[in-house]
Amino acid sequence: MVKTLVLAEQNKIGSVYDNDTVITQLIIERGTYHIGDIYIGIVETVLPSINAAFIILDYSENNGFIHINNLGHLKKKTNSTNITNHLSCNSIVMVQVLKEPNGQKGPTVTGDITLRGRYLTLLPFEEDIFFSRDFESNENIVYLRLLFTLLKPKSTGILINKKAIHASINNIIQDFYSLLYEWDSICHNLNYQSAPFLISRNKNFISKVLQKVYSEKVDTILVDSKQGSKKIASTVTRWIKQKNNTLSIKYFENHNFFVRDYNLDLIVYDLLQSRINLLGGGYIIIEKTEALTTIDVNSGSFNYLNNPRETILLVNRKAAKQIARHLRLRNISGVIIVDFIDMKNQQDQLALLLHFDSFLKQDEQRPRIIQFSELGLVELTRKRQGRSLLEMFSNSNGDLSNRSCISSIVSQSYVGHTALLDTCPIYSR
């Protein structure tokens, strides 16, 4: 299926569309802290009662939180399970953002420092070669293990990702040396500033989105600046394998184009609403509490079928598809409880679960159905990766201001033509 990637770099919004119409992925960056950012921080408080510590990362923001299980390279060579034997107040530490802030809570940080590339992850404080869990080819494992045994420094570890299976050796090696250069730059900058400070931002927005969503199925990329189009071209041309592949990269030097033609502001606004209407008259209500997310499915005015059992199953199947989609678009994580319309027939329950699971498998965060409870509730979990859409646009009290929502999504437009200013295919072959 052909895909179009739209990158509004100025507004830090990336979106993927199938056949130019249906949005399938949404990436938004907001706030100071982002997953993967590396800080040189100062230990402010050590709490032995909970085996954790608070670390100053930025004097103007909330402190980072680290648990003894996440100390990584900060853990001294001792088997002590008391954090006071590993960290002390006012000590200077290198940590990486593991989870972004949530409400009044600051970011969760870790001492397990990693630098992620497209095919590899560099582990500066490890020494071994690892393979991701979904790496299946034994022949490739042996070859790549031998290759990096020769290439990598003894004091550096490597995690080889699944994408490396289908990549050329030249691209994998290029990725490796790029990560080594990045780590060398971090080490070089250690002595030039006083803690606390940000020593490494986890890639620029365009590179981050491309690494996350780009594949050979993307045939058009639209971006809001000429400079952005050059960044895309220089990155993507290294990844394309097929010589007959045609990729169109276009830039539009009018940020209103993305708002007008792709309705990015209205898409985000709709995704912040609790109600989702289904075709035919049913609807879904999504509610977030501090502990979990509840999703309620209702038939509404849906009455296309005369058979109640078939009607209920059809509404539930429609809802399952939309729920899986909105979990991904809204980046809802943690414990999720779905209250589908009650079904007495166990065959229908199994059919619904299989249908639901088929859509959940398309999510890279791997939501997992735990059980279909006796009360007819489907319980599932989804791995947390960054803040949810609701968290991004809520105030400090967790309330969403609808009036300011759109204005906070879209930056102030400047004086200029409302039509397309320039279009340039940067890369095409």
Side-chain angles (χ1 to χ4, degrees), residues 7 9 204-211 223 228-229 231-232:
L7 279 165
E9 184 181 17
N204 60 61
F205 182 72
I206 285 180
S207 296
K208 192 181 298 184
V209 174
L210 289 176
Q211 185 171 308
V223 68
S229 67
K231 288 181 190 175
I232 295 168

Side-chain angles (χ1 to χ4, degrees), residues 199-216:
I199 193 170
S200 175
R201 175 71 74 191
N202 183 26
K203 298 181 173 56
N204 60 61
F205 182 72
I206 285 180
S207 296
K208 192 181 298 184
V209 174
L210 289 176
Q211 185 171 308
K212 185 178 180 67
V213 305
Y214 176 77
S215 70
E216 299 289 328

Side-chain angles (χ1 to χ4, degrees), residues 1-5 16-20 24-25 213 215 217-221 247:
M1 183 177 290
V2 175
K3 293 184 178 181
T4 296
L5 171 58
V16 180
Y17 297 82
D18 282 345
N19 299 325
D20 294 341
T24 59
Q25 285 181 273
V213 305
S215 70
K217 295 179 181 179
V218 175
D219 78 332
T220 304
I221 302 178
L247 174 66

Side-chain angles (χ1 to χ4, degrees), residues 137-395:
S137 173
N138 292 328
E139 183 178 339
N140 283 333
I141 286 178
V142 173
Y143 180 79
L144 291 171
R145 186 182 295 279
L146 289 172
L147 175 67
F148 284 105
T149 299
L150 296 173
L151 287 181
K152 78 176 189 66
K154 289 184 179 180
S155 59
T156 303
I158 289 287
L159 171 64
I160 302 176
N161 304 322
K162 184 180 179 180
K163 288 181 180 177
I165 295 176
H166 305 293
S168 70
I169 294 301
N170 286 339
N171 283 350
I172 296 173
I173 293 175
Q174 186 179 33
D175 198 32
F176 171 69
Y177 281 118
S178 176
L179 292 172
L180 272 186
Y181 176 79
E182 186 179 347
W183 177 243
D184 286 342
S185 298
I186 291 173
C187 295
H188 178 74
N189 294 329
L190 279 174
N191 300 320
Y192 287 90
Q193 296 186 60
S194 299
F197 65 94
L198 172 69
I199 193 170
S200 175
R201 175 71 74 191
N202 183 26
K203 298 181 173 56
N204 60 61
F205 182 72
I206 285 180
S207 296
K208 192 181 298 184
V209 174
L210 289 176
Q211 185 171 308
K212 185 178 180 67
V213 305
Y214 176 77
S215 70
E216 299 289 328
K217 295 179 181 179
V218 175
D219 78 332
T220 304
I221 302 178
L222 309 178
V223 68
D224 57 0
S225 70
K226 183 175 182 179
Q227 184 180 10
S229 67
K230 290 181 177 179
K231 288 181 190 175
I232 295 168
S234 65
T235 301
V236 172
T237 50
R238 300 197 306 266
W239 297 343
I240 292 178
K241 298 178 299 180
Q242 300 175 3
K243 300 223 172 154
N244 60 350
N245 185 80
T246 300
L247 174 66
S248 175
I249 302 173
K250 303 175 183 178
Y251 69 87
F252 299 83
E253 289 189 334
N254 185 338
H255 309 296
N256 287 333
F257 167 80
F258 297 97
V259 177
R260 184 186 68 244
D261 284 35
Y262 284 90
N263 297 318
L264 292 181
D265 54 346
L266 297 179
I267 287 171
V268 175
Y269 180 81
D270 285 343
L271 289 172
L272 290 169
Q273 309 309 307
S274 60
R275 176 166 172 149
I276 304 166
N277 292 320
L278 302 174
L279 290 175
Y283 63 93
I284 302 166
I285 300 294
I286 300 178
E287 297 289 349
K288 178 74 174 71
T289 67
E290 188 170 352
L292 50 82
T293 299
T294 60
I295 302 176
D296 185 31
V297 179
N298 299 273
S299 60
S301 59
F302 192 98
N303 59 359
Y304 287 1
L305 302 176
N306 294 325
N307 187 317
R309 174 185 165 187
E310 292 180 1
T311 298
I312 290 172
L313 180 58
L314 181 58
V315 174
N316 280 339
R317 286 171 64 91
K318 287 177 175 288
K321 180 179 180 179
Q322 288 301 317
I323 290 169
R325 178 171 179 261
H326 279 260
L327 291 180
R328 185 172 64 250
L329 291 176
R330 299 177 184 227
N331 198 20
I332 297 172
S333 59
V335 178
I336 303 160
I337 307 295
V338 183
D339 185 8
F340 285 105
I341 303 172
D342 290 343
M343 296 180 298
K344 303 300 181 184
N345 188 288
Q346 290 187 348
Q347 186 177 351
D348 290 349
Q349 293 175 359
L350 179 59
L352 175 63
L353 286 179
L354 293 174
H355 182 72
F356 191 23
D357 190 56
S358 68
F359 290 107
L360 292 177
K361 286 179 178 177
Q362 300 173 19
D363 189 339
E364 64 178 12
Q365 297 308 321
R366 300 175 183 174
R368 186 164 63 94
I369 296 176
I370 304 301
Q371 68 170 341
F372 199 130
S373 74
E374 294 181 1
L375 297 176
L377 304 176
V378 176
E379 303 172 12
L380 64 146
T381 60
R382 185 175 185 271
K383 182 181 175 182
R384 180 177 174 86
Q385 184 71 20
R387 290 177 295 167
S388 70
L389 201 64
L390 186 61
E391 290 169 346
M392 286 185 185
F393 293 100
S394 298
N395 58 31

